[in-house]
Every structure is written in C-alpha cells, then in structure tokens.
C-alpha cells in the first residue's frame, strides 16, 4: 500500500497528540530535542492554524508511518521522523516535498553527524545557509528552501 500524505487538521490535534508524541519518542532515534518534544506536547489547535506551523503526516491506512512537524517555517522547530520499518522507501522525501509545497520558505537544522538527513534535504534542493552549535551541543547545519532570507536567520536563529 502506497503511503498518503496529509496535513494534521487542527480539530484532530487533541485526539491524536498523545499518539504522535509517542511515535516521535519511539521512532526519533533520540535525535529530537527535548525542546521540540515539549513544543509538540503543548501544541494547540490555534497554533496549528497558523500559516507558519504545520504537522504533515505519512499514513498507511490509519497508521502513522511518518511525521514532519514545522513551527515558524522551521525557525523555531522542524523535525522529520519516519517509522524504522518504513525507512529507505521515499517516505521522508515525500513528507518533505509535501511540506515544501505548503510553505513559501522552510528551514531545517540538522546535526552534522546525521548524514542521512543531510543527504535527504540537500538532495531536495535545500541550501546550506549557516553552521552553529545546536541545542544538544553538537555542530549543526541550517538548511533552507524556497524564499528564505538571511534576515530570518539573523532574527530567529541567533
């Protein structure tokens, strides 16, 4: 069965939030920051209605097999998680392409040691725009797609 990609509607957040948090904890390979997890746990329907914030899901029937969560175009948080059993099947690519179609610009932060994610995003046309030390103390790269601006990074990424 081919996966389908869709937005998490704000009205379904409350009933699915606990499941999504559990999914990210189980499948995120301990790469999702504590701050990002707290954001997902506290995400509200009102915030999800913002044009800058989205949760994109990859579904196999009624089962979530991937998630790409984005806050403030990725300047606040952005993380991509795919179920280990479904990796290397283009699901991360599909989620990212779908997300790129929703936003005029999109930013991601990737730890330098996360070679698979770096290859995925660069392969989809994301540009390397900044290097920094991430929230976990690791060297981290900022990548951007679309109509990004250096001003965004200056204001929001420190």
């Amino acid at each position: 069965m081919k996966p389908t990609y869709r937005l998490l509607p704000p009205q379904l957040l409350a009933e699915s939030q606990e499941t999504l948090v559990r999914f990210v904890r189980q499948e995120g390979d301990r790469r999702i920051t504590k701050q990002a997890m707290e954001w997902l746990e506290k995400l509200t329907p009102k915030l999800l209605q913002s044009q800058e914030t989205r949760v994109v899901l990859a579904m196999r029937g009624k089962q979530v097999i991937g998630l790409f969560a984005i806050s403030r175009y990725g300047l606040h948080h952005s993380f991509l998680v795919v179920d280990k059993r479904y990796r290397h099947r283009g699901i991360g690519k599909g989620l990212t392409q779908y997300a790129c179609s929703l936003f005029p610009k999109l930013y991601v932060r990737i730890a330098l040691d996360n070679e698979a994610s770096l290859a995925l995003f660069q392969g989809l046309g994301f540009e390397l725009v900044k290097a920094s030390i991430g929230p976990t103390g690791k060297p981290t790269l900022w990548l951007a797609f679309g109509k990004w601006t250096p001003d965004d990074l200056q204001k929001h990424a420190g």
Side-chain angles (χ1 to χ4, degrees):
M1 177 185 291
K2 189 175 178 180
T4 58
Y5 302 98
R6 65 176 191 224
L7 279 175
L8 175 65
Q11 64 271 21
L12 294 182
L13 177 63
E15 69 187 62
S16 58
Q17 197 160 19
E18 188 177 316
T19 301
L20 296 176
V21 168
R22 190 175 332 110
F23 174 82
V24 172
R25 285 192 198 289
Q26 289 176 321
E27 304 298 335
D29 294 336
R30 300 180 54 170
R31 289 191 175 275
I32 310 305
T33 65
K34 179 181 175 186
Q35 296 90 342
M37 289 303 302
E38 288 173 355
W39 169 80
L40 183 60
E41 289 170 345
K42 294 176 182 174
L43 185 61
T44 64
K46 184 177 179 181
L47 257 178
L48 202 51
Q49 289 174 330
S50 158
Q51 294 298 319
E52 302 174 348
T53 300
R54 295 280 184 257
V55 175
V56 179
L57 302 174
M59 305 292 296
R60 185 172 180 258
K62 293 184 178 187
Q63 177 188 9
V64 174
I65 59 172
L67 170 149
F68 193 175
I70 299 140
S71 171
R72 283 195 355 224
Y73 301 114
L75 289 164
H76 189 227
H77 295 291
S78 62
F79 52 92
L80 174 67
V81 178
V82 175
D83 185 315
K84 291 172 189 73
R85 297 168 294 179
Y86 294 92
R87 291 183 186 168
H88 309 291
R89 297 185 190 185
I91 293 166
K93 181 178 181 179
L95 282 164
T96 304
Q97 288 172 323
Y98 188 89
C100 287
S101 75
L102 301 172
F103 293 101
K105 57 189 171 185
L106 184 56
Y107 299 89
V108 295
R109 256 185 305 190
I110 303 171
L112 195 55
D113 65 355
N114 191 342
E115 294 174 15
S117 289
L118 287 170
L120 169 71
F121 286 98
Q122 288 182 307
L124 290 171
F126 279 71
E127 300 174 57
L128 174 57
V129 294
K130 182 178 178 172
S132 65
I133 299 298
T136 61
K138 290 182 179 181
T140 300
L141 299 176
W142 281 88
L143 290 93
F145 185 86
K147 297 178 181 176
W148 68 275
T149 66
D151 191 46
D152 282 346
L153 292 169
Q154 194 69 19
K155 285 182 188 174
H156 301 287

